[in-house]
Amino acid sequence: MTDQAQRPDSGIPGKPTSASRTTLSHIMTGNDTNLLGTVHGGVIMKLVDDAAGAVAGRHSGGPAVTASMDEMVFLEPVRVGDLVHVRAQVNWTGRSSMEVGVRVMAERWNESTPATQVGSAYLVFAAVDADGKPRPVPPVVPETERDRRRYQEAQIRRTHRLARRRAIRELREKRAAEGMDA
């Protein structure tokens, strides 16, 4: 397999995975809770989107917008008083899009126990110019075996996203041609 970072047609020098990797940390308060008394999933999703957006902007060297969020998984509840760490990195890049992988960790603010993983997500960002039009992004250069695995897995997720989109479009076109509501 040829990594995109090695493709001669990209025209933009690649950036290593570590160049834009970041961690966003936030302590959870009573304002973040849901009706069950744990932290609202939407609060965690916003932190995930914020961290991923920072990484996408850093990698692309400018504005990037959220195109989709895949596989947001909540593994454990987050509680008031938890210090949440949202770790994000670019896993894969296309011409103007980037998949950002995010891992959500939590630890008690007043304990010295190790943080545990409480969630994860994959987001796709599109780099945009001042007019909101797609702009090219640097290829990502995986640095470690883990980065290379994430790159390959991201390619699989992209293939599945595109196939799902195509299948839905074809189904809608077929239903419209048959006079059914699309």
Side-chain angles (χ1 to χ4, degrees):
M1 178 193 83
T2 302
D3 285 350
Q4 181 185 357
Q6 299 168 343
R7 280 184 20 208
D9 63 339
S10 67
I12 302 172
K15 282 188 177 179
T17 307
S18 62
S20 57
R21 188 178 290 141
T22 195
T23 300
L24 173 69
S25 297
H26 188 79
I27 195 159
M28 298 292 108
T29 68
N31 291 334
D32 301 317
T33 60
N34 60 25
L35 295 174
L36 299 176
T38 56
V39 173
H40 194 289
V43 170
I44 301 300
M45 290 174 77
K46 172 139 180 24
L47 293 173
V48 164
D49 191 44
D50 288 346
V55 166
R58 281 180 170 187
H59 183 83
S60 67
V65 296
T66 310
S68 70
M69 178 183 275
D70 288 354
E71 301 178 35
M72 180 72 208
V73 177
F74 297 100
L75 302 169
E76 298 285 336
V78 176
R79 300 171 293 158
V80 170
D82 281 352
L83 180 57
V84 173
H85 308 285
V86 183
R87 300 181 179 144
Q89 75 172 47
V90 173
N91 290 335
W92 178 90
T93 54
R95 284 186 302 274
S96 62
S97 64
M98 301 158 275
E99 184 196 88
V100 178
V102 180
R103 179 175 294 210
V104 183
M105 309 292 289
E107 61 182 306
R108 295 305 293 167
W109 70 274
N110 59 349
E111 297 175 9
S112 59
T113 56
T116 58
Q117 185 174 354
V118 295
S120 65
Y122 299 102
L123 297 88
V124 177
F125 280 79
V128 294
D129 63 18
D131 297 322
K133 303 288 187 218
R135 62 180 176 81
V137 299
V140 66
V141 181
E143 299 174 279
T144 66
E145 272 308 310
R146 178 180 276 180
D147 292 340
R148 284 184 275 286
R149 175 186 54 79
R150 287 177 175 162
Y151 184 94
Q152 291 172 329
E153 290 172 357
Q155 288 179 308
I156 293 167
R157 282 187 293 275
R158 179 177 186 272
T159 299
H160 287 207
R161 277 191 299 271
L162 293 174
R164 184 176 59 235
R165 186 182 307 151
R166 186 173 45 254
I168 290 169
R169 185 181 61 243
E170 289 170 0
L171 177 63
R172 287 179 178 172
E173 288 170 357
K174 179 182 176 207
R175 291 180 60 84
E178 294 170 352
M180 303 174 115
D181 65 78

